[in-house]
Amino acid sequence: MAIPEELISRLRSARSVAVLTGAGISAESGVPTFRDAQTGLWAKYSPEELATPEAFRRNPKLVWEWYAWRRQRVGSVKPNAGHVALVRLEELVPEFTLITQNVDGLHQKAGSRHVLELHGNIRRSKCFDEDVVVEGWEDSKEVPPRCPRCGGLIRPDIVWFGEALPERIFAEAEQASAKCDVFFSIGTSSLVYPAAGLAYSALSGGALVVEINPGATSLSTEASYSFREAAGKFLPELVRKIPGKA
Ligand code: OAD
């Protein structure tokens, strides 16, 4: 596909680049996107019913088992060419901030060094009562397991519907988006705020905003460029053209 020369030259001269990724960048790794239909045993539930503190209070075992199933599915997948291209992009620009809504840890697995996880990480757990990360617990047969410190229930360290994003992490993401020269929105439906608002902070900061998504979103008409492309195909081609700086 044709990549506009103007975009390449803006990337070559960019001091800072910010990237927001969503479930779409992991789709080519085989991780279903958030709004893909749930499969198998979980088909009869919608994420909105399970990913809430109320659902956990009501049925902690069901919610814990749903995340255990998702963790097991994510455990075996590998980063794809899109994740790897972002590791390369990080090397090519002076200031690079990678912000993700994904909880699969694939950016870190690909080698991205500094990842702002707005919605947590499915591989991390925390105490429901103390809201503190728990590294390990006694392997009793109880599901969900209990916090070794206070005996409270352990939950996934994931931001659930109705919960606030980690404040410091979002503030850093917001600041990076507002001051960057180029902002990428990759593989996100741009439906969920405040994450979806970051592209608008970039626009009002005067950044060039680039969307990469096979489907159109509400950002598509606002972005400087909107490529109807898969991240795993488009990103490597784009990043390959950047070196050879003028
Ligand atoms: P969605 O499932 O809402 O959107 C995934 C987007 O990826 C869609 O717009 C697809 O068109 C696009 N897509 C699919 N395949 C792609 C590919 N190969 N390359 C690029 N894009 C592709 O997932 P998110 O936008 O990440 O929040 O959802 C945002 C948040 O909504 C999630 O983090 C979750 C959910 O509520 C919480 O759980 C708090």
Side-chain angles (χ1 to χ4, degrees), residues 99 116-118 165-177 193-198 201:
I99 306 154
L116 297 177
E117 292 179 312
L118 298 183
L165 271 60
E167 232 167 274
R168 192 188 50 73
I169 293 177
F170 186 71
E172 189 179 338
E174 170 71 49
Q175 199 205 12
S177 304
Y193 282 77
L198 293 172
S201 301

Side-chain angles (χ1 to χ4, degrees), residues 22-24 27-28 33-35 101-102 119 159 161 187-190 192 212-215 217 229-231:
E28 292 160 87
T33 65
F34 202 86
R35 286 169 176 77
Q101 300 169 91
N102 300 340
H119 293 163
V159 176
F161 290 102
T188 178
S189 55
S190 301
V192 172
I212 301 167
N213 190 327
T217 73
E229 299 285 351

Side-chain angles (χ1 to χ4, degrees), residues 106-169:
L106 286 179
H107 285 301
Q108 294 91 324
K109 248 188 184 172
S112 290
R113 288 196 306 278
H114 178 50
V115 183
L116 297 177
E117 292 179 312
L118 298 183
H119 293 163
N121 185 313
I122 202 163
R123 291 181 170 80
R124 246 191 345 258
S125 302
K126 66 182 181 181
C127 172
F128 186 81
D129 296 336
E130 298 170 302
D131 202 28
V132 176
V133 170
V134 177
E135 302 291 339
W137 49 81
E138 197 195 313
D139 186 13
S140 74
K141 291 295 159 253
E142 194 174 354
V143 175
R146 289 205 171 264
C147 171
R149 283 187 302 274
C150 75
L153 292 178
I154 292 179
R155 58 168 280 184
D157 187 10
I158 297 258
V159 176
W160 279 336
F161 290 102
E163 292 188 318
L165 271 60
E167 232 167 274
R168 192 188 50 73
I169 293 177

